[in-house]
Amino acid sequence: MAMSYTAVTVGASGWAGRRDQPLQGALVPLRNANAARFNWLRTPDFSGTIVNNNRVLYKADASSPEAPFAGALVRVHRLSVDGWCAWQGLSDASGYYWPVGLEVGLAYYPVAIDLTGTHECDAAGPVIAVKAD
């Protein structure tokens, strides 16, 4: 007596399909694109920001002091299995950047990029997001 079964696969988008039968119709996108990133056992607090290590500085050469870098593109990536970019913005005239909407208590890596191509990009961290005041 032979036994048979139908294998079910789940793709990266979370869509389940059977191997022995192709999916019919069009795939419908999730209403919330970030739904797969959340742990539904708890409600995440997205009121976080970074209050330390939130300044972009540069050195003209090895012996010069650090100076604020205005206009750097800063991307804040979540330190987890996905490295998701949680925030992106520019540094102000004093080199500071103020990310919002980070999940409180999680670790992030800020990456600063010089859009003129004069300086190498650099990362800092990890930093922990704290509740914004």
Side-chain angles (χ1 to χ4, degrees):
M1 179 169 150
M3 296 181 65
S4 64
Y5 64 94
T6 301
V8 176
T9 60
V10 178
S13 66
W15 187 270
R18 293 171 44 175
R19 285 188 198 168
D20 64 341
Q21 181 179 3
L23 293 172
Q24 301 295 320
L27 295 177
V28 178
L30 295 171
R31 289 184 189 167
N32 181 351
N34 294 326
R37 294 185 174 101
F38 297 145
N39 178 353
W40 292 105
L41 297 178
R42 64 179 181 83
T43 303
D45 182 358
F46 288 102
S47 65
T49 188
I50 298 171
V51 294
N52 61 350
N53 222 3
N54 64 333
R55 191 174 192 194
V56 181
L57 302 169
Y58 77 98
K59 291 180 81 163
D61 58 46
S63 62
S64 66
E66 292 180 332
F69 190 87
L73 175 65
V74 180
R75 299 185 78 189
V76 179
H77 294 269
R78 184 170 52 199
L79 178 61
S80 65
V81 293
D82 60 358
W84 181 61
C85 180
W87 181 85
Q88 176 175 294
L90 297 172
S91 60
D92 65 14
S94 299
Y96 288 101
Y97 58 93
W98 304 102
V100 295
L102 304 180
E103 190 172 346
V104 174
L106 289 187
Y108 292 87
Y109 267 101
V111 178
I113 302 168
D114 176 14
L115 297 175
T116 65
T118 308
H119 303 283
E120 295 178 3
C121 68
D122 199 8
V127 294
I128 305 296
V130 297
K131 190 160 185 74
D133 292 331

